[in-house]
Amino acid sequence: MQLLAAKQHLARKLNLTYADVAAGLNDLWSDTDLATYIQLGLTRAWDYKPWPFTQDPQTATTPVNADYVDYPQNIMLGSIYICIVGGKEYKKLLIEDYLRWFQCNPNDATRYWAETQTYIFINKNAYVQGVDTLDLYGKKIAPMLSNATDPLPFSPSTDSQSYSGNEAIVQLAYGEALDSEKKKNPQAAEVERKKAYETLNILWKPFADTKAFMQGQTPLFNAPNYFPDYPNSRQS
């Protein structure tokens, strides 16, 4: 499902003729209104679960003589759950524990990392500076839809491969519209939101089952957890 189709779907739910809305012939609703509600629905669905397609590894070269790197701009703050440098995974510490440890062990090469605000601290003694690759795994910030052909996120490959999550996005958007000053129907809005989250829960179940299965296995090697729990990213 693309943005245009989502707006048309939302218009039908609101008993609107989308062509009139798009042409500016509706005195109450605008095309911008519909797009705004779709974007709100998208963001709520995106943030609801750590969907696999929301996870994004960021790769860079390690800095030289730097105690920290800046948080990747397209990754949600606090969402990084795996830090790999030079092919080796680092253990996360709370920032206060990391700073205390580093102060007492300024030359130690133990593979530790921590984060605070928009900074990621990585023990520079443990890697070859300016040479080793830095891989950070976190959750991407929800995409902003602007073009009519922009796909909703539950169409991860092509527009024709659409999960029921896209329908949930429109339903969440419908709930926002019902809760607006234009409709003033919070009771109906809550019903629509509940239905949408029920759909998302059903869609999430296979991913949750896979996560539970994988966590019950004895790993043959260390691998990133592609189904992290949020918001526990600050725990070691």
Side-chain angles (χ1 to χ4, degrees):
M1 182 184 291
Q2 298 176 343
L3 176 57
L4 176 59
K7 290 190 293 184
Q8 292 170 336
H9 191 10
L10 177 57
R12 288 193 295 270
K13 285 179 173 290
L14 291 166
N15 294 318
L16 303 173
T17 301
Y18 178 73
D20 290 344
V21 175
L25 301 178
N26 189 294
D27 293 333
L28 186 61
W29 300 89
S30 69
D31 191 60
T32 300
D33 291 333
L34 300 184
T36 298
Y37 293 134
I38 293 295
Q39 185 64 50
L40 284 171
L42 183 157
T43 302
R44 296 191 193 287
W46 182 278
D47 291 344
Y48 186 55
K49 296 288 185 181
W51 309 104
F53 56 81
T54 68
Q55 310 306 309
D56 189 33
Q58 295 288 301
T59 300
T61 301
T62 50
V64 177
N65 295 326
D67 294 321
Y68 63 84
V69 296
D70 292 327
Y71 227 90
Q73 292 186 352
N74 62 332
I75 298 295
M76 293 176 61
L77 292 178
S79 74
I80 291 177
Y81 55 94
I82 289 287
C83 173
I84 297 176
V85 185
K88 298 178 180 179
E89 184 176 346
Y90 281 47
K91 181 180 179 180
K92 186 176 185 180
L93 301 179
L94 294 173
I95 184 61
E96 54 267 32
D97 294 335
Y98 176 87
L99 294 175
R100 188 181 301 114
W101 168 82
F102 193 77
Q103 184 178 24
C104 297
N105 305 276
N107 299 311
D108 195 302
T110 304
R111 296 191 298 272
Y112 287 148
W113 74 284
E115 65 176 334
T116 180
Q117 301 179 21
T118 61
Y119 307 111
I120 301 169
F121 288 78
I122 307 171
N123 183 14
K124 61 186 178 182
N125 300 321
Y127 58 80
V128 181
Q129 300 180 34
V131 175
D132 281 344
T133 298
L134 168 63
D135 297 301
L136 300 171
Y137 292 78
K139 185 170 185 176
K140 293 184 291 186
I141 295 173
M144 295 294 295
L145 305 182
S146 57
N147 299 316
T149 57
D150 286 345
L152 271 63
F154 289 89
S155 307
S157 298
T158 64
D159 183 50
S160 62
Q161 297 178 327
S162 182
Y163 301 157
S164 57
N166 287 338
E167 175 64 33
I169 287 175
V170 177
Q171 204 155 18
L172 288 169
Y174 184 38
E176 294 295 330
L178 290 173
D179 210 12
S180 69
E181 287 297 314
K182 291 180 170 64
K183 298 295 284 186
K184 297 182 180 179
N185 195 342
Q187 292 79 15
E190 189 59 33
V191 170
E192 294 301 323
R193 292 190 187 105
K194 183 178 179 181
K195 291 179 181 177
Y197 286 121
E198 287 174 352
T199 297
L200 292 174
N201 285 333
I202 292 172
L203 185 59
W204 173 249
K205 188 177 185 304
F207 299 118
D209 290 346
T210 298
K211 176 183 177 181
F213 174 78
M214 295 300 294
Q215 288 180 337
Q217 304 302 301
T218 301
L220 298 178
F221 53 88
N222 290 328
N225 172 15
Y226 291 98
F227 302 95
D229 291 317
Y230 297 113
N232 297 323
S233 60
R234 286 190 171 275
Q235 297 180 2
S236 60

